[in-house]
Amino acid sequence: MRVNCVGAIVLDDARRLLLIRRGHPPDVGRWSLPGGRVEPGESDAVAVRREVLEETGLEVAVGPLAGTVNLPAPGGDTYAVRDYRATVVGGTLTPGDDAADARWCTREELARLPLTTGLLDTLRAWRVLPT
């Protein structure tokens, strides 16, 4: 079964990338983009705004689709993740929901953090890494 999910690629004015540290499986303790499942009846844009707010306390305007990835999910399912560019329009950075932490990261910091599998390569391929 395919599980529809979304994620957000958010850069601040200093060109740092917004990441959350996962508080629950899969990849608990690893850093990733904020995001999660699309709820029944939600558009991708609504899901992105909800997930970013729940996980980071930030309100975002959702931009264009950056790319899609398929990731293994428990029980042989597949997470079909659509990642969108987004811009902060309000809120205060505060980890919440299933995010154990949230932070802005430079390109150099990304290389040193324990990221979710394939994240750095995917962001590099999509040319959305912070400068």
Side-chain angles (χ1 to χ4, degrees), residues 109-121:
E109 291 168 330
L110 282 174
R112 294 190 303 266
L113 287 173
L115 301 175
T116 53
T117 304
L119 179 62
L120 188 58
D121 290 337

Side-chain angles (χ1 to χ4, degrees), residues 37-93:
R37 294 175 188 225
V38 177
E39 298 295 333
E42 274 186 325
S43 67
D44 281 3
V46 168
V48 169
R49 287 192 298 270
R50 176 183 53 76
E51 287 288 345
V52 172
L53 182 62
E54 289 174 357
E55 293 183 347
T56 71
L58 298 173
E59 299 169 18
V60 295
V62 181
L65 179 69
T68 61
V69 293
N70 291 312
L71 303 171
D77 293 338
T78 299
Y79 292 126
V81 184
R82 294 175 298 281
D83 288 317
Y84 291 85
R85 293 178 183 260
T87 305
V88 174
V89 296
T92 302
L93 183 59

Side-chain angles (χ1 to χ4, degrees), residues 16-31:
R16 297 175 300 171
L17 180 67
L18 178 63
L19 292 180
I20 58 105
R21 187 164 40 106
R22 298 188 55 81
H24 299 288
D27 290 327
V28 65
R30 293 191 171 269
W31 291 88

